Amino acid sequence: MTTITLEVPDELAERLKIDGANLPEFVREAIEAKLAKRLEPSSSESAGRLIHQEIIDFLASAPTAAQIIDFKLSESAQEQLEDLLDKNREAELTPEEKAEMDQYLEYRHVMTLLKASARRVLSESETTR
């Protein structure tokens, strides 16, 4: 085990009021919590994955042409996208948010092409009846 000498301001030590015997456990838990938080994806990354995952899950379900035409993002994904668009209008996007918005625009383009193909397929099937 590694020994670390830790100096904290008196004000912080007073706020902590931790028995010296419990201090090592407290420090370990605090460090683990901080490291876990650092490994969590940012909300921007989460939103990008949410949109991406929704589209992948939808396509993996082998949707019919009509279901492709009717596809819409979930309300939570749509809200996150609206937040990005609002920030974009106000020129307040971070580079990560800009990348996420660009990625969504690519997904939207692919879905537009899929919907157009699905409409064509439905139209063709109706004329051959």
Side-chain angles (χ1 to χ4, degrees):
M1 179 175 285
T2 303
T3 301
I4 298 175
T5 302
L6 181 66
E7 292 184 20
V8 296
D10 292 337
E11 175 185 303
L12 179 58
E14 181 62 31
R15 285 179 45 207
L16 291 175
K17 293 187 182 179
I18 297 173
D19 176 26
N22 296 329
L23 187 59
E25 180 65 18
F26 177 82
V27 170
R28 184 185 65 74
E29 288 174 3
I31 291 171
E32 286 177 354
K34 184 70 171 176
L35 290 174
K37 186 169 178 76
R38 193 182 297 170
L39 297 175
E40 289 177 3
S42 69
S43 61
S44 165
E45 291 170 335
S46 296
R49 279 204 297 277
L50 175 63
I51 292 168
H52 175 82
Q53 195 60 52
E54 282 187 19
I55 292 171
I56 295 298
D57 290 347
F58 170 72
L59 295 175
S61 72
T64 65
Q67 288 171 323
I68 291 172
I69 292 167
D70 292 340
F71 175 78
K72 290 184 180 8
L73 290 172
S74 70
E75 193 171 311
S76 61
Q78 190 63 40
E79 286 173 8
Q80 290 173 333
L81 179 59
E82 291 296 326
D83 289 343
L84 285 176
L85 294 172
D86 288 344
K87 282 184 170 184
N88 187 48
R89 279 189 286 279
E90 297 167 9
E92 296 178 356
L93 284 177
T94 65
E96 294 82 15
E97 290 168 331
K98 171 85 169 90
E100 179 191 343
M101 193 177 71
D102 290 345
Q103 185 179 42
Y104 169 73
L105 293 174
E106 288 179 34
Y107 293 148
R108 185 177 73 172
H109 179 70
V110 169
M111 289 306 295
T112 299
L113 294 174
L114 284 170
K115 288 179 181 217
S117 292
R119 284 187 181 94
R120 185 176 32 78
V121 167
L122 282 180
S123 175
E124 290 173 357
S125 69
E126 289 175 4
T127 57
T128 59
R129 286 184 191 177

